[in-house]
Amino acid sequence: QEQLVESGGGLVQPGGSLRLSCAASGFRLDYYTIGWFRQAPGKEREGVSSISSNDGVAVYADSVKGRFTISRDKAKNSVYLQMNDLKPEDTAVYYCAAGITIATLESRVYDYWGQGTQVTVSS
C-alpha cells in the first residue's frame, strides 16, 4: 500500500530551523513530483514548495522563498524541506504529497498525501 509519512516537525523559536522529511513506502518517489503544503488553524491549505520528478525543478511560495529549500534523496526514497529563519506565521501542519505532474503548488493534482507534521514557531 502506498504511503507517505512526514516527520521532523516540532516547536522552534523565531529565527530557528527545522528539516522536514517525507518518506514513502510502497512506491518510489523518484517517479513523482513531490509537494509540501501547510494548513494553519482557520486557514486554507496552501502550497509551500514542489520539486519535479524528472529534472528536479523546484518552485516555492513567495512567502518562503529564500528561507526554505526542497531536496530529494533517491537512495533514501525521501524528500526534505529545509526551513530556515522560521517565523510565527510559518506555524501550521505540514503535509507532503506525491503526484504525476510538473512542479506545482496546486494541491488538486496530487494523488497521495501524508498525515502531516506540526510545526510551531513561538518564543
Side-chain angles (χ1 to χ4, degrees):
Q1 183 177 358
E2 297 86 357
Q3 195 172 19
L4 292 173
V5 178
E6 303 93 338
S7 61
L11 172 64
V12 64
Q13 292 185 342
S17 298
L18 284 174
R19 189 178 80 153
L20 304 184
S21 299
C22 175
S25 60
F27 66 109
R28 293 290 308 176
L29 290 184
D30 307 23
Y31 305 126
Y32 291 83
T33 288
I34 305 301
W36 282 99
F37 297 83
R38 66 186 182 187
Q39 188 166 21
K43 294 187 177 181
E44 293 188 355
R45 182 172 54 191
E46 64 170 337
V48 175
S49 183
S50 174
I51 186 167
S52 66
S53 59
N54 52 353
D55 54 10
V57 169
V59 297
Y60 297 92
D62 288 343
S63 58
V64 306
K65 279 181 182 176
R67 300 189 297 124
F68 290 12
T69 303
I70 191 170
S71 63
R72 290 182 180 269
D73 186 331
K74 292 184 177 182
K76 295 184 178 181
N77 201 27
S78 296
V79 172
Y80 305 101
L81 185 68
Q82 178 67 42
M83 307 188 295
N84 298 328
D85 189 22
L86 283 161
K87 306 176 186 299
E89 51 264 41
D90 294 318
T91 296
V93 178
Y94 283 71
Y95 301 88
C96 67
I100 303 297
T101 177
I102 60 171
T104 177
L105 302 182
E106 174 55 63
S107 62
R108 293 175 296 175
V109 300
Y110 290 88
D111 300 309
Y112 303 103
W113 290 81
Q115 82 292 345
T117 185
Q118 176 70 46
V119 171
T120 302
V121 185
S122 175
S123 55

